Amino acid sequence: MQRVEVLLVEDNEHDAELTIRALKKNNLANGLMHLKDGGEALDFIFGQGMFEGRSVESKPRVIVLDINMPRVSGLEVLQRLKADERTCNIPVVVLTSTKDDPIMKHCYELGVNSYVVKPVAFDAFFKEISALGFFWMIVNQVE
Amino acid sequence: MNRRPKILIVDDRPENLVALETVLRDLDVELVKAYSGNEALRATLHHDFALALLDIQMPEMDGYELAGILREEEKTAKLPFIFISAVYTDNLNIFKGYERGAFSFITKPFQPEILINKVKFFINIHKQEAALSDLNEELKQKNEDLEQSNNDLEAFTYSVSHDLRAPLRAVHSYAMIMREDHEKELNAECLRLLGNITRNAERMARLIESLLEFSRLGKLGITAGIVDVNILIQEALEDINATVQKVPEFRIQKDMPRAVGDRDLLKQVFVNLLSNAVKYSGKKEAPVVEVGARLDGSEVIYHVRDNGSGFDMQYMNKLFGVFSRLHRDTEYEGIGIGLAIVQRIVTRSGGRVWAEGALDQGATFYIALPAAGV
């Protein structure tokens, strides 16, 4: 199995499709894995449940995380990642509807690395995702 | 609430208590008897009295002493007394704490009518006070309910505004993707329809944005200070001039009185009023927008007047509603939130808004705010 470079955690199938399209257009979709909720994401990252046996050492380069998801929210995923020394260094980019969402404050407190606003307008959304490309470049330089 | 007022009657002699009971039997009251000051004090622990009739000459504790003790207790501090005395006295400050509540005297032997009148007088006052306190309690409850439903509404608006965005993003984005990926396969009519979908999605996005902004206004605290409106207007004009194509002639009154309010919010008020004036006068050959103010008692009344399309006064109450408009989108672009925001800010600042106008004769918007230093 190819190494997962980008882990996208997004419950809304349309938002996921659009995000993937935007990532592809920006050449950011190599080794992309899409998971549909926070629970799956934790299973994947920590090699448990449906991903039993997967090594926690095989980290994605970046996690693109939707905040508002049923059951295990993005905020909880972020909390677990940042609290565990094995995973606290994985860069996390959260997807949010508005940057003045009160939840964003928690995200910063938890140590989120970046955020992408999901605007209504398609072209603006693509611009937001392409801004990720810049972030991606920096992440790669650090490694 | 229907409660029979309770009257405490205190006398060491049983025949006197019987006499009082007889005199007062036709009144719609409940009588509680006590044969001594101590018994009277005990009774006040179990009952809420509207009035106490106290005999003055009693062994151990006389009526004045009893009254003094009752005035010291929080529960009975304001209980009115009628002293029943064998000798007339005009020495009114004879007991401790006399100044804290109402009292009266009656001398023995008394005429039943006089006692009844005095009792009725105090009972009426008591009933009015009880009614007032019930009303206050009711008002307090209603206020709390109102606050709660306001909070619910804010939370609702906020979450609706957030949740509405996701499907809208899908509608808008898929329409754009269809154009991007399949433009060559689509005929002109298909492209026109796609354009309509996109434009409407964008309009709805603006509606949601405004709704969010409006709901955020409800949560913002008001930081009141003295606001120099002259400066605010200059700033607002700079913002507006940068965005409109056709700049009208501005006639701004000099040295307008200052107001008390939140500077940032009041700037928003003037930006909205001025952009409205600019927008609705934009189709005139020589558009003029005029700003002035005058002091009126403790208020300063500002006005923003334009010579534009105006409005029919019968629709005045629709001007300030959320998403309520008097023009079609094709006549004047807009979504109908600007004046709703103006009204919300001004009302929350303790002021008032109103407007005057006539069709095609221009419009004048007034805002009255607390004046500074008056």
Side-chain angles (χ1 to χ4, degrees):
Chain A
M1 195 173 138
Q2 191 195 352
R3 178 181 173 186
V4 170
E5 309 239 312
V6 179
L7 174 62
L8 171 66
V9 191
E10 167 69 83
D11 65 309
N12 182 312
E13 56 169 319
H14 301 300
D15 277 357
E17 185 179 336
L18 295 169
T19 308
I20 292 167
R21 183 181 166 103
L23 287 170
K24 276 184 183 153
K25 291 226 160 183
N26 288 289
N27 292 319
L28 297 170
N30 291 330
L32 178 101
M33 162 77 102
H34 170 213
L35 297 175
K36 294 185 180 67
D37 68 54
E40 285 183 12
L42 289 176
D43 282 357
F44 178 84
I45 295 159
F46 292 104
Q48 61 196 31
M50 60 190 282
F51 292 99
E52 187 73 57
R54 201 186 158 275
S55 166
V56 67
E57 294 309 321
S58 165
K59 297 176 212 170
R61 275 179 196 266
V62 64
I63 299 174
V64 180
L65 181 65
D66 184 36
I67 285 301
N68 194 6
M69 292 185 291
R71 294 187 294 277
V72 183
S73 77
L75 206 61
E76 287 172 74
V77 174
L78 185 62
Q79 204 161 9
R80 287 280 308 275
L81 288 178
K82 293 297 176 188
D84 193 312
E85 60 178 21
R86 295 169 300 172
T87 53
C88 64
N89 290 327
I90 308 174
V92 178
V93 179
V94 295
L95 297 169
T96 171
S97 306
T98 55
K99 66 171 183 297
D100 34 59
D101 191 318
I103 289 174
M104 281 309 294
K105 198 174 161 272
H106 291 285
C107 292
Y108 289 124
E109 284 160 5
L110 289 172
V112 73
N113 300 80
S114 184
Y115 71 92
V116 168
V117 178
K118 296 194 276 187
V120 166
F122 164 87
D123 27 359
F125 185 54
F126 274 42
K127 264 194 210 119
E128 284 284 337
I129 295 287
S130 72
L132 253 187
F134 185 66
F135 180 74
W136 181 242
M137 225 169 65
I138 293 169
V139 169
N140 279 337
Q141 276 172 2
V142 169
E143 280 213 13
Chain B
M1 241 179 278
N2 195 12
R3 293 172 301 213
R4 279 171 76 207
K6 289 180 181 174
I7 300 180
L8 174 65
I9 50 179
V10 191
D11 202 311
D12 58 313
R13 297 166 73 166
E15 65 274 23
N16 283 351
L17 287 175
V18 171
L20 284 174
E21 274 184 303
T22 314
V23 170
L24 300 175
R25 70 177 165 230
D26 291 336
L27 294 178
D28 188 23
V29 294
E30 185 182 334
L31 299 176
V32 176
K33 289 179 285 188
Y35 293 94
S36 70
N38 279 325
E39 219 173 290
L41 289 175
R42 265 200 302 282
T44 61
L45 299 177
H46 306 293
H47 302 275
D48 289 315
F49 291 110
L51 173 67
L53 306 186
L54 309 180
D55 180 31
I56 289 177
Q57 286 90 17
M58 290 189 290
E60 289 165 36
M61 189 192 295
D62 72 15
Y64 293 133
E65 220 184 319
L66 172 58
I69 294 170
L70 289 172
R71 280 283 186 269
E72 293 292 309
E73 297 294 321
E74 197 192 333
K75 193 180 174 191
T76 51
K78 291 200 157 63
L79 176 64
F81 308 123
I82 298 177
F83 293 109
I84 301 169
S85 163
V87 285
Y88 177 76
T89 174
D90 56 1
N91 191 6
L92 293 183
N93 52 1
I94 200 154
F95 70 99
K96 211 171 138 196
Y98 71 96
E99 71 285 354
R100 273 187 238 149
F103 60 94
S104 180
F105 283 92
I106 191 161
T107 43
K108 284 191 273 195
F110 52 78
Q111 285 194 333
E113 292 75 27
I114 294 181
L115 181 66
I116 287 173
N117 273 339
K118 281 186 192 265
V119 168
K120 273 186 179 166
F121 173 78
F122 281 114
I123 292 301
N124 277 339
I125 289 179
H126 173 79
K127 279 183 177 161
Q128 283 166 8
E129 278 174 359
L132 196 64
S133 128
D134 285 352
L135 278 176
N136 270 334
E137 198 50 45
E138 209 176 302
L139 200 63
K140 206 174 129 205
Q141 184 59 44
K142 279 193 175 146
N143 260 335
E144 278 166 17
D145 292 351
L146 199 63
E147 204 169 306
Q148 181 58 43
S149 66
N150 252 340
N151 288 342
D152 290 351
L153 195 65
E154 301 290 355
F156 175 77
T157 314
Y158 193 76
S159 69
V160 162
S161 306
H162 269 79
D163 295 348
L164 285 179
R165 281 167 195 255
L168 197 57
R169 178 162 51 245
V171 170
H172 188 266
S173 302
Y174 286 122
M176 293 291 281
I177 290 174
M178 191 176 240
R179 182 192 286 270
E180 205 174 274
D181 289 1
H182 305 283
E183 191 164 8
K184 288 194 184 94
E185 302 146 49
L186 296 172
N187 62 30
E189 177 64 2
C190 290
L191 290 172
R192 185 184 72 84
L193 297 177
L194 269 181
N196 284 351
I197 292 174
T198 322
R199 262 196 309 284
N200 278 288
E202 280 162 5
R203 182 174 165 78
M204 188 158 167
R206 283 202 301 279
L207 286 168
I208 292 172
E209 202 50 60
S210 317
L211 204 57
L212 260 184
E213 192 188 331
F214 193 68
S215 103
R216 253 182 246 133
L217 262 187
K219 292 180 202 157
L220 281 182
I222 289 207
T223 321
I226 292 175
V227 178
D228 188 338
V229 174
N230 302 285
I231 299 173
L232 280 197
I233 302 262
Q234 286 314 318
E235 292 177 4
L237 287 180
E238 281 164 27
D239 289 3
I240 290 163
N241 285 341
T243 52
V244 295
Q245 291 118 346
K246 187 175 177 184
V247 178
E249 180 194 338
F250 286 111
R251 294 178 190 159
I252 315 291
Q253 185 185 317
K254 292 225 169 8
D255 300 324
M256 288 183 278
R258 295 181 301 171
V260 175
D262 183 301
R263 191 187 191 282
D264 293 340
L265 292 177
L266 288 185
K267 182 178 168 190
Q268 183 70 52
V269 165
F270 283 105
V271 166
N272 289 11
L273 288 178
L274 286 167
S275 4
N276 260 18
V278 170
K279 176 160 72 180
Y280 291 104
S281 62
K283 292 183 181 170
K284 293 282 165 178
E285 237 168 66
V288 178
V289 173
E290 182 198 310
V291 183
R294 65 184 171 86
L295 278 171
D296 182 31
S298 60
E299 284 183 325
V300 49
I301 299 173
Y302 300 95
H303 71 261
V304 176
R305 180 173 296 137
D306 67 72
N307 63 344
S309 59
F311 63 91
D312 190 332
M313 276 302 270
Q314 66 168 311
Y315 301 124
M316 216 270 268
N317 56 346
K318 292 197 173 175
L319 281 172
F320 297 101
V322 178
F323 298 151
S324 143
R325 298 201 68 204
L326 300 185
H327 296 277
R328 281 193 306 276
D329 211 27
T330 45
E331 297 174 305
Y332 293 98
E333 212 186 288
I335 54 173
I337 196 81
L339 289 177
I341 287 176
V342 165
Q343 185 179 48
R344 190 155 195 184
I345 293 175
V346 172
T347 313
R348 286 196 61 199
S349 312
R352 298 170 290 131
V353 287
W354 68 98
E356 282 167 7
L359 260 189
D360 253 341
Q361 309 280 307
T364 309
F365 287 87
Y366 296 91
I367 58 172
L369 289 167
V374 174

